[in-house]
Amino acid sequence: MRRTIDLNQNWAFRLDAEVPKVFPEDWDTVDLPHTWNALDGQDGGNDYRRTRGVYVKRLPLKPLDLSKVFLEINGCNSSCEVWLDGKLIAAHDGGYSTFRCALPVVSGEELLTIVADNRPSDRVYPQQADFTFYGGLYRSVNLIAVPEEHFELLKDGTPGIKVTPIVDLENKRAAVTVETWHNGKSV
């Protein structure tokens, strides 16, 4: 049994802020998807704001019946840091890919902070393009709770299952191959 909890509503947000120690009541409130380049990224120039944006949310959960909890970020451009109660627990470079990180068992009182950074970087590609590198959490963010035995959620942003179709048009046949990763092991 997998439980997915949508975290897209009511984030505290501020540009160029430090990671807060307590929930920042006086910050702007935003819903996801969100970018700080919604206006300045539309004019076709290369003059849009490239900086850090800090998103903060209280985790809405009491202890779960399921034993493993993962944070799923489906799009954070371009680099991302994940903080839980003021401690850095994960980082990811690459704004166009889903990534997940394991969270310690949550009690419902944790402060989740996600730092999105679209500043120019020599470690994140593409480094130059003819489009805007929109900063922010521009896709959904979820918590995923699973039992101890589960398909591996840390396998390259996948659900731990790979299905490949094999089609033979000449002989009018089709089949699929299925590859799975279960808690990190290919089965």
Side-chain angles (χ1 to χ4, degrees):
M1 169 81 187
R2 178 183 292 192
R3 183 173 171 207
T4 301
I5 298 100
D6 176 317
L7 297 180
N8 293 327
Q9 276 66 51
N10 299 316
W11 288 81
F13 173 75
R14 181 160 286 172
L15 287 173
D16 301 316
E18 296 299 317
V19 173
K21 296 186 186 324
V22 297
F23 187 82
E25 301 287 345
D26 60 336
W27 288 17
D28 293 336
T29 301
V30 299
D31 293 335
L32 306 183
H34 177 262
T35 179
W36 56 83
N37 300 118
L39 297 176
D40 67 350
Q42 297 294 317
D43 65 4
N46 197 21
D47 57 350
Y48 59 94
R49 189 157 188 184
R50 297 192 69 182
T51 190
R52 286 169 35 109
V54 180
Y55 297 83
V56 182
K57 186 171 192 64
R58 290 184 190 105
L59 287 182
L61 302 175
K62 303 237 183 285
L64 297 170
D65 296 335
L66 302 167
S67 60
K68 298 282 185 183
V69 179
F70 295 88
L71 179 69
E72 175 182 69
I73 299 175
N74 288 302
C76 179
N77 207 28
S78 294
S79 295
C80 182
E81 296 174 349
V82 177
W83 297 74
L84 193 63
D85 291 331
K87 294 181 182 154
L88 181 65
I89 62 168
H92 177 77
D93 288 326
Y96 305 103
S97 57
T98 295
F99 81 97
R100 297 184 189 97
C101 61
L103 295 180
V105 175
V106 294
S107 69
E109 299 301 321
E110 282 78 13
L111 190 66
L112 174 64
T113 303
I114 300 175
V115 178
D117 187 341
N118 74 333
R119 293 178 296 187
S121 170
D122 62 359
R123 67 180 193 281
V124 180
Y125 289 93
Q127 293 178 359
Q128 192 172 15
D130 62 349
F131 55 84
T132 300
F133 294 102
Y134 289 94
L137 290 172
Y138 66 93
R139 293 184 186 146
S140 63
V141 173
N142 301 298
L143 285 179
I144 301 174
V146 295
E148 186 67 38
E149 298 289 324
H150 58 275
F151 288 113
E152 182 56 69
L153 293 174
L154 298 178
K155 174 68 176 148
D156 305 324
T158 71
I161 303 169
K162 178 182 173 185
V163 178
T164 306
I166 303 166
V167 179
D168 179 353
L169 294 176
E170 191 174 305
N171 295 311
K172 297 182 181 179
R173 285 191 249 173
V176 296
T177 61
V178 178
E179 188 174 6
T180 64
W181 291 268
H182 186 263
N183 292 8
K185 300 173 188 159
S186 182
V187 187

